[in-house]
Amino acid sequence: MVSFGARCHGFSTIQKNNLYTEAKDEFEPVCLIELDPACAEDMTAINDVNYIWHAKEGYPACIFNCMKYALMQKQAGEDSNLKFYAMTTQNKDFENPRGEDILALVQVYTEDSGDKKVEYMQVNPKNSYESKSKSKYKHTGSTMMNFLKEFFSSRKIVLFPCDTKAAKFYEANGFRVSDKQSGEMTFIA
């Protein structure tokens, strides 16, 4: 089976953090790409991200392992309801994604109802709001959420924040608590 790797699902812009200038807001183009577990280049890019980011949460490694699982399901002739997306500053040559250009990763599970469940989302720690170093970009997580909300505009998006800071972030991005006991949050367009 021939796989052509990541596919672009849309372009947007992300605000640059003008650290050393008093310049007005500058923006850089970004693209939402869907990653294909059957594509060695996509798998290599996610493996690279895991090493480049040194993410304490370990979500890039979880996403990489889930991609391997989705591939095994596909090879066994089973349907996988998992999809994998990356937001990248790379604006061409999507069949060869570069780990150093990936700003955020997300894993989405499609429920039988068609609702989309965000299982993992990770922003490059260097570009997160809590980064102790000066980040190159602003609003990386919000830009990724906007991509998802637009891409899945006809579906409900469900997620379970890992802590109260994450819950506040999702609430600021239009999600509402739908189940207090489980912490489930939902976005309905």
Side-chain angles (χ1 to χ4, degrees), residues 1 19 25 31 37 64 68 75 79 90 112 133 152 162-163:
M1 177 178 161
L19 302 174
D25 291 340
C31 182
F64 179 82
K68 291 193 307 189
Q75 290 171 337
D79 285 335
Q90 189 173 337
D112 291 339
S133 63
F152 299 128
C162 62
D163 57 35

Side-chain angles (χ1 to χ4, degrees), residues 60-173:
C62 292
I63 291 170
F64 179 82
N65 288 329
C66 288
M67 287 177 76
K68 291 193 307 189
Y69 175 72
L71 177 60
M72 289 188 321
Q73 284 182 302
K74 189 176 186 177
Q75 290 171 337
E78 301 172 20
D79 285 335
S80 173
N81 291 346
L82 293 173
K83 297 286 184 179
F84 308 92
Y85 302 93
M87 183 174 68
T88 179
T89 55
Q90 189 173 337
N91 55 24
K92 60 182 179 179
D93 194 27
F94 299 118
E95 62 275 2
N96 292 303
R98 295 183 299 267
E100 63 271 13
D101 294 332
I102 293 175
L103 302 178
L105 291 171
V106 68
Q107 175 179 313
V108 178
Y109 178 83
T110 302
E111 303 278 359
D112 291 339
S113 65
D115 293 346
K116 306 299 180 180
K117 180 179 164 191
V118 175
E119 293 188 326
Y120 296 111
M121 181 175 142
Q122 174 77 49
V123 169
N124 181 334
K126 291 181 183 176
N127 292 309
S128 74
Y129 182 74
E130 295 179 340
S131 175
K132 290 183 174 48
S133 63
K134 296 291 185 181
S135 61
K136 185 174 179 181
Y137 301 102
K138 292 182 178 182
H139 312 294
T140 307
S142 293
T143 303
M144 181 60 146
M145 291 310 307
N146 289 338
F147 263 132
L148 294 177
K149 290 187 291 190
E150 184 177 323
F151 188 60
F152 299 128
S153 63
S154 63
R155 294 291 178 195
K156 179 168 75 171
I157 303 173
V158 177
L159 50 78
F160 295 86
C162 62
D163 57 35
T164 55
K165 288 179 188 175
K168 287 179 183 179
F169 163 78
Y170 291 119
E171 190 172 44
N173 280 279

